[in-house]
Amino acid sequence: MKKKIIWLALLVGLTTMLTACKELPNVGSADVTPNEWQLILDSSDKTTLNVYHDYKDKLATTWMDTIMVPYMQEQLGIKVVLNPLNVDEYLKKLKTEKTNEVAIGSADLFILTDSGFAKLKDAGVLYGPFKSKLPNVSLNQVGESYELTWLDGKPIDNLAVQIGKNQLTLFFDEDTLEAPPVTLQELRSYVKANQGKFTFPSLSTPEGKAFVGTLAATLCDQKKLYETKLSAADQAKLFAPVLTYLRDIQPSMWMQGKQLPKTTAEMDQLFKSGQIGFSMSLNQNWATNMIKEEKFPEGAKAFILSTGTTGYGQYAAIPFNSANKSGAMALVNELLSGEMQSSKYNPKNWGNLPSVDPMKMEKTESAKITKISVKRNALKEENLSAARLPQIPSDKMMQLISYLKKNLGI
């Protein structure tokens, strides 16, 4: 009996020594201990992760295929398999599986770039809470940010993590205009003083939506815009300032505001030919790319409204019956590392804006982002973050567009 006790004591002592010697990951204030997070990493090693995403941008899909997938294999030992995602179709599948108590589904992780979170959350088909368990959330993100705590007009409740974003950026020709208007008041004055020189893309384009979304985020009651369900009467009252602003400038716009460029490509062509004074993009490096292709004037330069512009975020969520929840959490955590965020942000790779705050990160991590150089006709992450307005909930965006189309005839 004494020998057994001695051996048990030795075993406990040896285990303690090995744990003490092992360099465990820093988890910051995450809701896991270093040992618990290490177990998650260990259990995800040498596994396959089925990632479903709805990216349509070729830069995004190329980055995922050529950089993210091999990186996760090397860094975490996870084999990532990418699949296209239609949220509405997969939601039907998940509802059926939940009803039939299907414990193992085909998707391990969702990456959502369009609306869909609210539907998934309301249906109760998401796993969580998991966000608060990720070390890089507590180490690298600012938790009180609206876009990190709300999505699609719903509290995120630790069921999703923002992994990237883009933001509406405007472009002017510094060879023909000394300084661009940087407030909505200045923009209104410019439009009225320069007949036919301003427009924005069709409201069917992401950029057109982002422009009127920027007006709404600046001019409307933000509490009602982001969080409150609206009746038809509420919508008219909430969106009235946007309608008033656009009605005021519409007669002075390109084509008297009776029609809008159908695509951003059409708008870019109008800008290049000098017919309009500005173009817009959700890529802050767009001028650099277009000048290289001789599709923008040489003096094209990015700027941002000082009152801010909105854009879109990309979020990761885990379905309730994911077969590899550990792998999903490990991958999302790694996406929030300085290495992955800087790789996405690098204009040579993609140009996707970081969803982390370099000011909060450890210097060695933040340097990976801040050292990324951008051309003088582009904008840095810090300039865009300082003028960031939260993404408009998808239901409010649809209501806003319907309201404007009805009242402006565009």
Side-chain angles (χ1 to χ4, degrees):
M1 183 69 178
K2 286 184 179 180
K3 286 184 178 180
K4 186 175 182 181
I5 293 173
I6 291 171
W7 275 111
L8 282 172
L10 286 171
L11 182 61
V12 170
L14 181 60
T15 302
T16 303
M17 286 175 62
L18 288 172
T19 304
C21 293
K22 186 176 183 179
E23 186 178 344
L24 295 171
N26 181 5
V27 297
S29 57
D31 289 347
V32 292
T33 65
N35 276 310
E36 288 170 337
W37 182 248
Q38 188 62 52
L39 286 174
I40 289 173
L41 293 178
D42 291 344
S43 64
S44 63
D45 186 29
K46 295 182 176 63
T47 63
T48 297
L49 191 75
N50 289 301
V51 177
Y52 282 68
H53 70 90
D54 58 0
Y55 280 119
K56 298 176 182 66
D57 181 357
K58 188 175 180 180
L59 287 172
T61 55
T62 299
W63 179 83
M64 293 178 76
D65 284 331
T66 63
I67 296 179
M68 186 196 80
V69 169
Y71 179 87
M72 296 303 174
Q73 177 77 63
E74 180 180 349
Q75 191 72 14
L76 299 175
I78 296 175
K79 179 184 177 182
V80 178
V81 179
L82 300 174
N83 305 275
L85 171 67
N86 180 305
V87 173
D88 289 332
E89 288 181 4
Y90 211 96
L91 176 58
K92 293 177 185 177
K93 175 180 168 65
L94 285 174
K95 284 180 176 178
T96 301
E97 291 177 344
K98 187 174 183 181
T99 300
N100 296 325
E101 299 182 350
V102 177
I104 303 299
S106 54
D108 296 312
L109 179 69
F110 292 147
I111 295 181
L112 308 168
T113 72
D114 205 346
S115 60
F117 173 77
K119 298 173 186 176
L120 293 165
K121 184 184 180 187
D122 287 346
V125 294
L126 292 178
Y127 166 74
F130 78 94
K131 174 183 171 182
S132 58
K133 297 179 182 179
L134 307 186
N136 282 338
V137 167
S138 64
L139 292 170
N140 299 341
Q141 286 189 329
V142 177
E144 65 272 15
S145 166
Y146 180 87
E147 284 192 294
L148 300 182
T149 54
W150 284 74
L151 177 58
D152 268 354
K154 299 276 184 180
I156 288 177
D157 291 335
N158 284 318
L159 296 173
V161 181
Q162 189 187 71
I163 57 172
K165 57 189 178 183
N166 53 25
Q167 187 168 345
L168 185 69
T169 304
L170 289 78
F171 302 93
F172 75 107
D173 184 355
E174 62 180 350
D175 291 335
T176 60
L177 181 64
E178 186 175 345
V182 293
T183 67
L184 292 183
Q185 292 76 16
E186 289 178 5
L187 180 59
R188 174 166 39 205
S189 298
Y190 172 90
V191 175
K192 291 187 172 184
N194 297 270
Q195 296 288 312
K197 298 287 286 185
F198 178 80
T199 189
F200 52 91
S202 163
L203 296 182
S204 64
T205 66
E207 291 80 4
K209 293 174 185 176
F211 178 73
V212 296
T214 290
L215 297 182
T218 307
L219 300 172
C220 300
D221 182 321
Q222 291 201 357
K223 181 77 173 176
K224 292 180 179 177
L225 180 65
Y226 291 117
E227 300 176 19
T228 308
K229 285 189 174 295
L230 303 174
S231 66
D234 292 333
Q235 291 173 37
K237 186 176 180 181
L238 177 64
F239 299 139
V242 179
L243 180 62
T244 299
Y245 185 90
L246 290 175
R247 271 183 174 162
D248 192 22
I249 66 171
Q250 189 177 27
S252 302
M253 289 171 56
W254 176 75
M255 301 295 288
Q256 293 79 51
K258 295 177 181 177
Q259 69 180 70
L260 301 173
K262 293 179 181 178
T263 63
T264 50
E266 182 182 343
M267 187 165 175
D268 288 341
Q269 181 57 42
L270 292 171
F271 175 56
K272 182 190 176 184
S273 64
Q275 293 182 64
I276 58 175
F278 306 98
S279 194
M280 302 176 190
S281 176
L282 287 162
N283 181 346
Q284 69 278 3
N285 302 298
W286 194 240
T288 304
N289 302 338
M290 295 297 276
I291 289 172
K292 285 180 182 178
E293 297 178 18
E294 300 182 350
K295 294 180 179 178
F296 263 14
E298 287 292 329
K301 191 173 183 180
F303 75 101
I304 200 94
L305 295 173
S306 62
T307 43
T309 59
T310 189
Y312 305 94
Q314 298 90 48
Y315 293 81
I318 303 173
F320 79 97
N321 58 358
S322 165
N324 191 1
K325 296 179 179 71
S326 292
M329 287 190 283
L331 182 139
V332 175
N333 185 70
E334 198 61 37
L335 283 175
L336 297 179
S337 67
E339 187 68 32
M340 284 281 91
Q341 290 286 305
S342 62
S343 176
K344 286 196 304 97
Y345 173 52
N346 191 326
K348 294 179 181 178
N349 298 333
W350 179 2
N352 185 249
L353 293 169
S355 64
V356 295
D357 183 0
M359 296 296 291
K360 185 182 181 183
M361 301 168 73
E362 293 181 358
K363 287 185 178 180
T364 53
E365 284 291 286
S366 65
K368 294 173 183 177
I369 296 171
T370 56
K371 73 178 182 181
I372 299 293
S373 62
V374 298
K375 300 293 184 182
R376 62 174 298 276
N377 51 10
L379 285 173
K380 292 183 177 180
E381 175 273 335
E382 60 196 72
N383 302 119
L384 290 158
S385 293
R388 175 78 177 186
L389 295 171
Q391 177 177 344
I392 307 299
S394 57
D395 62 331
K396 302 298 193 331
M397 181 59 75
M398 288 188 290
Q399 292 164 354
L400 174 61
I401 290 170
S402 177
Y403 176 77
L404 294 178
K405 283 183 176 179
K406 178 181 176 181
N407 289 281
L408 293 174
I410 53 176

